[in-house]
Amino acid sequence: MPSPRSSRERRAGGSSGRLEFLSLSQRGPAAPDSPSRRREPAGAAAAPLPEEDCMKLNPSFVGIALSSLLAIDLWASKRLGVCAGEGSAWGSARPLMKVIEVSGHGIPWLLGTFYGLCQSDSSAAREVLLNLLFALLLDLVMVAVVKGLVRRPRPTHNKMDMFVTISVDKYSFPSGHATRAALVCRFVLRHLVLAVPLRVLVVLWALIVSISRVMLGRHNMTDVLFGLLLGYALYGVVEHCWLSPATAPALFALWSH
């Protein structure tokens, strides 16, 4: 007759075997290791996507907004370029627009200011003209720097028949004419005593010069708007750095007769 101890051991062995079988059946069959899985080191995480791929898959709201504004700017500028060519909607007004273009060009303003400075006999007039010359030179430098940095091409419907251009003039942003118009307008209104009708004409001239840049197809609308803001800000720089006999005696001694 078997002993009580041996029967208990058999029951315990059978119970442990049934438990092991149940645990294996719950886990299911083991998946075979794929070659790629065998090559991966243990605990290795999935490689992250490159940053540029993430940006393409998840474009930012700012990027979408800027792209939309750029598309609207190009579309509206092309629609407003009614004097871009002789065959345009207002092609007959193109010669008049080109006269307005010359009135806002830097060379006539520089030559006229330099001539007035040489012919002036008044110390007050020389001070104003010398600072206007400084403002025009500052305008040329700042516009050239920004154009060289941004390098935005001119509109495709523009005809490159502009009056006296230099290397950076092949770029569009910002509009040098608009910058100069805003700068000269603020300067004249601040330092010249003019009747009200003449002051209105000065403001109208600055606006017409700026609008003509889009009508001629020379610039997009954002080029002109930024140019107006830049010219407005540059006048503040001129006022802050105002040249006088006390601050720049050498310059005034050079122009004194």
mmCIF file of all heavy atoms in Angstrom, residues 83-127:
data_model
loop_
_atom_site.group_PDB
_atom_site.id
_atom_site.type_symbol
_atom_site.label_atom_id
_atom_site.label_comp_id
_atom_site.label_asym_id
_atom_site.label_seq_id
_atom_site.Cartn_x
_atom_site.Cartn_y
_atom_site.Cartn_z
ATOM 1 N N CYS A 83 -0.371 99.062 -65.610
ATOM 2 C CA CYS A 83 0.519 99.814 -66.505
ATOM 3 C C CYS A 83 1.841 99.078 -66.706
ATOM 4 O O CYS A 83 2.849 99.693 -67.060
ATOM 5 C CB CYS A 83 0.797 101.210 -65.942
ATOM 6 S SG CYS A 83 -0.667 102.225 -65.701
ATOM 7 N N ALA A 84 1.840 97.771 -66.484
ATOM 8 C CA ALA A 84 3.081 97.005 -66.569
ATOM 9 C C ALA A 84 3.629 96.936 -67.981
ATOM 10 O O ALA A 84 4.827 96.741 -68.182
ATOM 11 C CB ALA A 84 2.873 95.599 -66.014
ATOM 12 N N GLY A 85 2.790 97.094 -68.969
ATOM 13 C CA GLY A 85 3.229 97.050 -70.370
ATOM 14 C C GLY A 85 2.302 97.878 -71.239
ATOM 15 O O GLY A 85 1.228 98.308 -70.802
ATOM 16 N N GLU A 86 2.743 98.112 -72.471
ATOM 17 C CA GLU A 86 1.914 98.909 -73.377
ATOM 18 C C GLU A 86 0.585 98.221 -73.683
ATOM 19 O O GLU A 86 -0.421 98.886 -73.961
ATOM 20 C CB GLU A 86 2.668 99.171 -74.688
ATOM 21 C CG GLU A 86 3.820 100.159 -74.582
ATOM 22 C CD GLU A 86 5.058 99.552 -73.923
ATOM 23 O OE1 GLU A 86 5.057 98.315 -73.686
ATOM 24 O OE2 GLU A 86 6.010 100.293 -73.644
ATOM 25 N N GLY A 87 0.568 96.912 -73.629
ATOM 26 C CA GLY A 87 -0.665 96.186 -73.898
ATOM 27 C C GLY A 87 -1.516 95.938 -72.674
ATOM 28 O O GLY A 87 -2.523 95.211 -72.758
ATOM 29 N N SER A 88 -1.155 96.503 -71.535
ATOM 30 C CA SER A 88 -1.932 96.323 -70.313
ATOM 31 C C SER A 88 -3.210 97.139 -70.365
ATOM 32 O O SER A 88 -3.444 97.918 -71.297
ATOM 33 C CB SER A 88 -1.098 96.709 -69.086
ATOM 34 O OG SER A 88 0.087 95.950 -69.020
ATOM 35 N N ALA A 89 -4.034 96.982 -69.325
ATOM 36 C CA ALA A 89 -5.337 97.653 -69.305
ATOM 37 C C ALA A 89 -5.186 99.168 -69.374
ATOM 38 O O ALA A 89 -5.949 99.835 -70.075
ATOM 39 C CB ALA A 89 -6.098 97.239 -68.047
ATOM 40 N N TRP A 90 -4.231 99.716 -68.647
ATOM 41 C CA TRP A 90 -3.956 101.156 -68.675
ATOM 42 C C TRP A 90 -2.587 101.421 -69.302
ATOM 43 O O TRP A 90 -1.838 102.270 -68.856
ATOM 44 C CB TRP A 90 -3.988 101.736 -67.269
ATOM 45 C CG TRP A 90 -5.357 101.730 -66.648
ATOM 46 C CD1 TRP A 90 -6.489 101.140 -67.132
ATOM 47 C CD2 TRP A 90 -5.720 102.341 -65.413
ATOM 48 N NE1 TRP A 90 -7.538 101.328 -66.287
ATOM 49 C CE2 TRP A 90 -7.102 102.073 -65.212
ATOM 50 C CE3 TRP A 90 -5.037 103.072 -64.454
ATOM 51 C CZ2 TRP A 90 -7.798 102.516 -64.095
ATOM 52 C CZ3 TRP A 90 -5.726 103.521 -63.333
ATOM 53 C CH2 TRP A 90 -7.092 103.252 -63.160
ATOM 54 N N GLY A 91 -2.277 100.720 -70.343
ATOM 55 C CA GLY A 91 -0.968 100.862 -70.968
ATOM 56 C C GLY A 91 -0.696 102.255 -71.493
ATOM 57 O O GLY A 91 0.461 102.698 -71.546
ATOM 58 N N SER A 92 -1.751 102.999 -71.860
ATOM 59 C CA SER A 92 -1.553 104.357 -72.377
ATOM 60 C C SER A 92 -1.048 105.312 -71.295
ATOM 61 O O SER A 92 -0.463 106.357 -71.610
ATOM 62 C CB SER A 92 -2.866 104.884 -72.959
ATOM 63 O OG SER A 92 -3.890 104.875 -71.977
ATOM 64 N N ALA A 93 -1.281 104.978 -70.021
ATOM 65 C CA ALA A 93 -0.818 105.826 -68.923
ATOM 66 C C ALA A 93 0.591 105.466 -68.466
ATOM 67 O O ALA A 93 1.115 106.097 -67.534
ATOM 68 C CB ALA A 93 -1.780 105.719 -67.743
ATOM 69 N N ARG A 94 1.220 104.503 -69.128
ATOM 70 C CA ARG A 94 2.556 104.080 -68.704
ATOM 71 C C ARG A 94 3.586 105.208 -68.806
ATOM 72 O O ARG A 94 4.417 105.356 -67.891
ATOM 73 C CB ARG A 94 2.994 102.874 -69.529
ATOM 74 C CG ARG A 94 4.334 102.299 -69.117
ATOM 75 C CD ARG A 94 4.659 101.020 -69.887
ATOM 76 N NE ARG A 94 6.014 100.571 -69.634
ATOM 77 C CZ ARG A 94 6.396 99.878 -68.580
ATOM 78 N NH1 ARG A 94 5.506 99.536 -67.664
ATOM 79 N NH2 ARG A 94 7.651 99.522 -68.410
ATOM 80 N N PRO A 95 3.613 106.045 -69.859
ATOM 81 C CA PRO A 95 4.592 107.151 -69.883
ATOM 82 C C PRO A 95 4.444 108.101 -68.694
ATOM 83 O O PRO A 95 5.447 108.564 -68.136
ATOM 84 C CB PRO A 95 4.296 107.857 -71.211
ATOM 85 C CG PRO A 95 3.704 106.787 -72.066
ATOM 86 C CD PRO A 95 2.898 105.950 -71.147
ATOM 87 N N LEU A 96 3.208 108.392 -68.306
ATOM 88 C CA LEU A 96 3.009 109.262 -67.144
ATOM 89 C C LEU A 96 3.514 108.589 -65.877
ATOM 90 O O LEU A 96 4.141 109.244 -65.027
ATOM 91 C CB LEU A 96 1.518 109.590 -67.005
ATOM 92 C CG LEU A 96 1.119 110.424 -65.771
ATOM 93 C CD1 LEU A 96 1.820 111.777 -65.783
ATOM 94 C CD2 LEU A 96 -0.397 110.599 -65.709
ATOM 95 N N MET A 97 3.275 107.286 -65.732
ATOM 96 C CA MET A 97 3.756 106.563 -64.558
ATOM 97 C C MET A 97 5.287 106.561 -64.505
ATOM 98 O O MET A 97 5.877 106.618 -63.419
ATOM 99 C CB MET A 97 3.242 105.120 -64.584
ATOM 100 C CG MET A 97 1.752 104.960 -64.371
ATOM 101 S SD MET A 97 1.198 105.423 -62.713
ATOM 102 C CE MET A 97 0.405 106.999 -63.058
ATOM 103 N N LYS A 98 5.932 106.532 -65.663
ATOM 104 C CA LYS A 98 7.390 106.538 -65.681
ATOM 105 C C LYS A 98 7.944 107.921 -65.308
ATOM 106 O O LYS A 98 9.033 108.022 -64.725
ATOM 107 C CB LYS A 98 7.894 106.106 -67.059
ATOM 108 C CG LYS A 98 7.547 104.660 -67.403
ATOM 109 C CD LYS A 98 8.273 104.165 -68.628
ATOM 110 C CE LYS A 98 9.741 103.959 -68.347
ATOM 111 N NZ LYS A 98 10.450 103.308 -69.467
ATOM 112 N N VAL A 99 7.205 108.977 -65.623
ATOM 113 C CA VAL A 99 7.613 110.314 -65.163
ATOM 114 C C VAL A 99 7.522 110.385 -63.636
ATOM 115 O O VAL A 99 8.423 110.930 -62.966
ATOM 116 C CB VAL A 99 6.736 111.391 -65.825
ATOM 117 C CG1 VAL A 99 7.008 112.766 -65.208
ATOM 118 C CG2 VAL A 99 6.982 111.437 -67.327
ATOM 119 N N ILE A 100 6.448 109.844 -63.083
ATOM 120 C CA ILE A 100 6.318 109.795 -61.626
ATOM 121 C C ILE A 100 7.423 108.952 -61.022
ATOM 122 O O ILE A 100 7.960 109.267 -59.936
ATOM 123 C CB ILE A 100 4.928 109.246 -61.247
ATOM 124 C CG1 ILE A 100 3.839 110.201 -61.741
ATOM 125 C CG2 ILE A 100 4.815 109.030 -59.745
ATOM 126 C CD1 ILE A 100 2.430 109.672 -61.568
ATOM 127 N N GLU A 101 7.802 107.883 -61.721
ATOM 128 C CA GLU A 101 8.903 107.035 -61.254
ATOM 129 C C GLU A 101 10.193 107.823 -61.135
ATOM 130 O O GLU A 101 10.922 107.709 -60.140
ATOM 131 C CB GLU A 101 9.075 105.861 -62.208
ATOM 132 C CG GLU A 101 10.215 104.927 -61.863
ATOM 133 C CD GLU A 101 10.336 103.778 -62.854
ATOM 134 O OE1 GLU A 101 10.405 104.058 -64.077
ATOM 135 O OE2 GLU A 101 10.380 102.623 -62.417
ATOM 136 N N VAL A 102 10.498 108.643 -62.131
ATOM 137 C CA VAL A 102 11.728 109.446 -62.096
ATOM 138 C C VAL A 102 11.673 110.476 -60.967
ATOM 139 O O VAL A 102 12.692 110.767 -60.326
ATOM 140 C CB VAL A 102 11.942 110.127 -63.463
ATOM 141 C CG1 VAL A 102 13.128 111.084 -63.411
ATOM 142 C CG2 VAL A 102 12.148 109.094 -64.562
ATOM 143 N N SER A 103 10.470 110.999 -60.673
ATOM 144 C CA SER A 103 10.356 112.007 -59.615
ATOM 145 C C SER A 103 10.687 111.441 -58.240
ATOM 146 O O SER A 103 11.030 112.201 -57.331
ATOM 147 C CB SER A 103 8.933 112.587 -59.596
ATOM 148 O OG SER A 103 8.013 111.649 -59.056
ATOM 149 N N GLY A 104 10.585 110.108 -58.084
ATOM 150 C CA GLY A 104 10.939 109.505 -56.810
ATOM 151 C C GLY A 104 12.267 108.776 -56.833
ATOM 152 O O GLY A 104 12.613 108.102 -55.847
ATOM 153 N N HIS A 105 13.011 108.896 -57.904
ATOM 154 C CA HIS A 105 14.303 108.211 -58.009
ATOM 155 C C HIS A 105 15.349 108.905 -57.138
ATOM 156 O O HIS A 105 15.288 110.118 -56.903
ATOM 157 C CB HIS A 105 14.761 108.177 -59.468
ATOM 158 C CG HIS A 105 15.820 107.155 -59.750
ATOM 159 N ND1 HIS A 105 17.154 107.386 -59.492
ATOM 160 C CD2 HIS A 105 15.749 105.906 -60.259
ATOM 161 C CE1 HIS A 105 17.853 106.326 -59.843
ATOM 162 N NE2 HIS A 105 17.030 105.402 -60.299
ATOM 163 N N GLY A 106 16.351 108.156 -56.709
ATOM 164 C CA GLY A 106 17.353 108.700 -55.808
ATOM 165 C C GLY A 106 18.301 109.683 -56.458
ATOM 166 O O GLY A 106 18.722 110.666 -55.825
ATOM 167 N N ILE A 107 18.654 109.469 -57.726
ATOM 168 C CA ILE A 107 19.651 110.331 -58.376
ATOM 169 C C ILE A 107 19.170 111.773 -58.505
ATOM 170 O O ILE A 107 19.921 112.713 -58.164
ATOM 171 C CB ILE A 107 20.061 109.731 -59.734
ATOM 172 C CG1 ILE A 107 20.887 108.466 -59.509
ATOM 173 C CG2 ILE A 107 20.834 110.746 -60.565
ATOM 174 C CD1 ILE A 107 21.383 107.814 -60.768
ATOM 175 N N PRO A 108 17.959 112.065 -59.007
ATOM 176 C CA PRO A 108 17.525 113.472 -59.047
ATOM 177 C C PRO A 108 17.501 114.131 -57.672
ATOM 178 O O PRO A 108 17.871 115.309 -57.537
ATOM 179 C CB PRO A 108 16.118 113.375 -59.650
ATOM 180 C CG PRO A 108 16.117 112.118 -60.440
ATOM 181 C CD PRO A 108 16.981 111.184 -59.668
ATOM 182 N N TRP A 109 17.097 113.391 -56.656
ATOM 183 C CA TRP A 109 17.057 113.968 -55.322
ATOM 184 C C TRP A 109 18.460 114.241 -54.776
ATOM 185 O O TRP A 109 18.707 115.288 -54.169
ATOM 186 C CB TRP A 109 16.302 113.030 -54.380
ATOM 187 C CG TRP A 109 14.819 113.197 -54.474
ATOM 188 C CD1 TRP A 109 13.944 112.418 -55.173
ATOM 189 C CD2 TRP A 109 14.048 114.224 -53.862
ATOM 190 N NE1 TRP A 109 12.671 112.896 -55.034
ATOM 191 C CE2 TRP A 109 12.704 114.011 -54.223
ATOM 192 C CE3 TRP A 109 14.353 115.301 -53.032
ATOM 193 C CZ2 TRP A 109 11.672 114.834 -53.795
ATOM 194 C CZ3 TRP A 109 13.329 116.136 -52.595
ATOM 195 C CH2 TRP A 109 11.998 115.892 -52.982
ATOM 196 N N LEU A 110 19.398 113.326 -55.019
ATOM 197 C CA LEU A 110 20.760 113.545 -54.564
ATOM 198 C C LEU A 110 21.411 114.719 -55.283
ATOM 199 O O LEU A 110 22.053 115.583 -54.656
ATOM 200 C CB LEU A 110 21.587 112.273 -54.765
ATOM 201 C CG LEU A 110 21.333 111.125 -53.790
ATOM 202 C CD1 LEU A 110 22.049 109.866 -54.256
ATOM 203 C CD2 LEU A 110 21.793 111.502 -52.383
ATOM 204 N N LEU A 111 21.253 114.758 -56.606
ATOM 205 C CA LEU A 111 21.857 115.855 -57.371
ATOM 206 C C LEU A 111 21.241 117.198 -57.017
ATOM 207 O O LEU A 111 21.945 118.203 -56.875
ATOM 208 C CB LEU A 111 21.704 115.581 -58.870
ATOM 209 C CG LEU A 111 22.506 114.395 -59.422
ATOM 210 C CD1 LEU A 111 22.229 114.214 -60.911
ATOM 211 C CD2 LEU A 111 23.994 114.590 -59.180
ATOM 212 N N GLY A 112 19.898 117.220 -56.858
ATOM 213 C CA GLY A 112 19.235 118.477 -56.503
ATOM 214 C C GLY A 112 19.640 118.963 -55.120
ATOM 215 O O GLY A 112 19.868 120.166 -54.917
ATOM 216 N N THR A 113 19.746 118.055 -54.175
ATOM 217 C CA THR A 113 20.148 118.446 -52.817
ATOM 218 C C THR A 113 21.596 118.930 -52.795
ATOM 219 O O THR A 113 21.917 119.928 -52.133
ATOM 220 C CB THR A 113 19.970 117.258 -51.859
ATOM 221 O OG1 THR A 113 18.616 116.805 -51.913
ATOM 222 C CG2 THR A 113 20.309 117.657 -50.443
ATOM 223 N N PHE A 114 22.456 118.243 -53.519
ATOM 224 C CA PHE A 114 23.870 118.641 -53.564
ATOM 225 C C PHE A 114 24.015 120.014 -54.223
ATOM 226 O O PHE A 114 24.788 120.864 -53.745
ATOM 227 C CB PHE A 114 24.665 117.596 -54.331
ATOM 228 C CG PHE A 114 26.143 117.824 -54.320
ATOM 229 C CD1 PHE A 114 26.917 117.472 -53.220
ATOM 230 C CD2 PHE A 114 26.773 118.409 -55.413
ATOM 231 C CE1 PHE A 114 28.285 117.692 -53.217
ATOM 232 C CE2 PHE A 114 28.136 118.635 -55.405
ATOM 233 C CZ PHE A 114 28.893 118.281 -54.308
ATOM 234 N N TYR A 115 23.261 120.244 -55.274
ATOM 235 C CA TYR A 115 23.328 121.555 -55.953
ATOM 236 C C TYR A 115 22.827 122.660 -55.031
ATOM 237 O O TYR A 115 23.435 123.741 -54.935
ATOM 238 C CB TYR A 115 22.508 121.508 -57.237
ATOM 239 C CG TYR A 115 22.484 122.824 -57.970
ATOM 240 C CD1 TYR A 115 23.557 123.218 -58.768
ATOM 241 C CD2 TYR A 115 21.382 123.675 -57.872
ATOM 242 C CE1 TYR A 115 23.541 124.439 -59.434
ATOM 243 C CE2 TYR A 115 21.346 124.891 -58.541
ATOM 244 C CZ TYR A 115 22.437 125.273 -59.318
ATOM 245 O OH TYR A 115 22.422 126.474 -59.982
ATOM 246 N N GLY A 116 21.717 122.409 -54.355
ATOM 247 C CA GLY A 116 21.200 123.420 -53.429
ATOM 248 C C GLY A 116 22.158 123.687 -52.284
ATOM 249 O O GLY A 116 22.290 124.828 -51.825
ATOM 250 N N LEU A 117 22.853 122.659 -51.836
ATOM 251 C CA LEU A 117 23.824 122.831 -50.761
ATOM 252 C C LEU A 117 24.992 123.702 -51.214
ATOM 253 O O LEU A 117 25.510 124.532 -50.446
ATOM 254 C CB LEU A 117 24.315 121.462 -50.302
ATOM 255 C CG LEU A 117 25.127 121.363 -49.020
ATOM 256 C CD1 LEU A 117 24.351 121.928 -47.834
ATOM 257 C CD2 LEU A 117 25.500 119.917 -48.741
ATOM 258 N N CYS A 118 25.400 123.530 -52.450
ATOM 259 C CA CYS A 118 26.519 124.327 -52.971
ATOM 260 C C CYS A 118 26.122 125.778 -53.215
ATOM 261 O O CYS A 118 26.956 126.683 -53.102
ATOM 262 C CB CYS A 118 27.029 123.718 -54.269
ATOM 263 S SG CYS A 118 27.800 122.092 -54.069
ATOM 264 N N GLN A 119 24.853 126.008 -53.551
ATOM 265 C CA GLN A 119 24.405 127.354 -53.885
ATOM 266 C C GLN A 119 23.840 128.110 -52.691
ATOM 267 O O GLN A 119 23.564 129.305 -52.812
ATOM 268 C CB GLN A 119 23.328 127.275 -54.979
ATOM 269 C CG GLN A 119 23.825 126.705 -56.285
ATOM 270 C CD GLN A 119 24.926 127.541 -56.913
ATOM 271 O OE1 GLN A 119 24.859 128.781 -56.933
ATOM 272 N NE2 GLN A 119 25.958 126.888 -57.436
ATOM 273 N N SER A 120 23.655 127.460 -51.578
ATOM 274 C CA SER A 120 23.003 128.110 -50.443
ATOM 275 C C SER A 120 23.943 129.078 -49.742
ATOM 276 O O SER A 120 25.127 128.783 -49.535
ATOM 277 C CB SER A 120 22.514 127.041 -49.450
ATOM 278 O OG SER A 120 21.953 127.647 -48.322
ATOM 279 N N ASP A 121 23.398 130.242 -49.353
ATOM 280 C CA ASP A 121 24.151 131.240 -48.608
ATOM 281 C C ASP A 121 23.707 131.343 -47.161
ATOM 282 O O ASP A 121 24.327 132.067 -46.369
ATOM 283 C CB ASP A 121 24.004 132.626 -49.263
ATOM 284 C CG ASP A 121 24.661 132.679 -50.631
ATOM 285 O OD1 ASP A 121 25.678 131.974 -50.809
ATOM 286 O OD2 ASP A 121 24.149 133.376 -51.521
ATOM 287 N N SER A 122 22.657 130.622 -46.823
ATOM 288 C CA SER A 122 22.108 130.699 -45.478
ATOM 289 C C SER A 122 22.586 129.500 -44.664
ATOM 290 O O SER A 122 22.553 128.351 -45.136
ATOM 291 C CB SER A 122 20.579 130.720 -45.533
ATOM 292 O OG SER A 122 20.016 130.514 -44.256
ATOM 293 N N SER A 123 23.028 129.768 -43.443
ATOM 294 C CA SER A 123 23.486 128.673 -42.588
ATOM 295 C C SER A 123 22.326 127.754 -42.201
ATOM 296 O O SER A 123 22.497 126.524 -42.101
ATOM 297 C CB SER A 123 24.149 129.238 -41.322
ATOM 298 O OG SER A 123 23.240 130.056 -40.601
ATOM 299 N N ALA A 124 21.134 128.311 -41.997
ATOM 300 C CA ALA A 124 19.967 127.486 -41.664
ATOM 301 C C ALA A 124 19.587 126.587 -42.837
ATOM 302 O O ALA A 124 19.269 125.401 -42.648
ATOM 303 C CB ALA A 124 18.793 128.386 -41.273
ATOM 304 N N ALA A 125 19.628 127.146 -44.041
ATOM 305 C CA ALA A 125 19.303 126.341 -45.224
ATOM 306 C C ALA A 125 20.349 125.253 -45.437
ATOM 307 O O ALA A 125 20.008 124.116 -45.803
ATOM 308 C CB ALA A 125 19.212 127.246 -46.457
ATOM 309 N N ARG A 126 21.627 125.587 -45.210
ATOM 310 C CA ARG A 126 22.671 124.561 -45.353
ATOM 311 C C ARG A 126 22.485 123.436 -44.346
ATOM 312 O O ARG A 126 22.729 122.267 -44.653
ATOM 313 C CB ARG A 126 24.060 125.196 -45.198
ATOM 314 C CG ARG A 126 24.524 125.974 -46.406
ATOM 315 C CD ARG A 126 26.034 126.186 -46.372
ATOM 316 N NE ARG A 126 26.437 126.961 -45.197
ATOM 317 C CZ ARG A 126 26.512 128.291 -45.165
ATOM 318 N NH1 ARG A 126 26.195 128.992 -46.241
ATOM 319 N NH2 ARG A 126 26.896 128.922 -44.063
ATOM 320 N N GLU A 127 22.065 123.762 -43.160
ATOM 321 C CA GLU A 127 21.833 122.722 -42.146
ATOM 322 C C GLU A 127 20.716 121.778 -42.588
ATOM 323 O O GLU A 127 20.840 120.551 -42.467
ATOM 324 C CB GLU A 127 21.479 123.371 -40.811
ATOM 325 C CG GLU A 127 21.254 122.362 -39.703
ATOM 326 C CD GLU A 127 21.016 123.035 -38.350
ATOM 327 O OE1 GLU A 127 21.312 124.251 -38.221
ATOM 328 O OE2 GLU A 127 20.527 122.349 -37.429
#
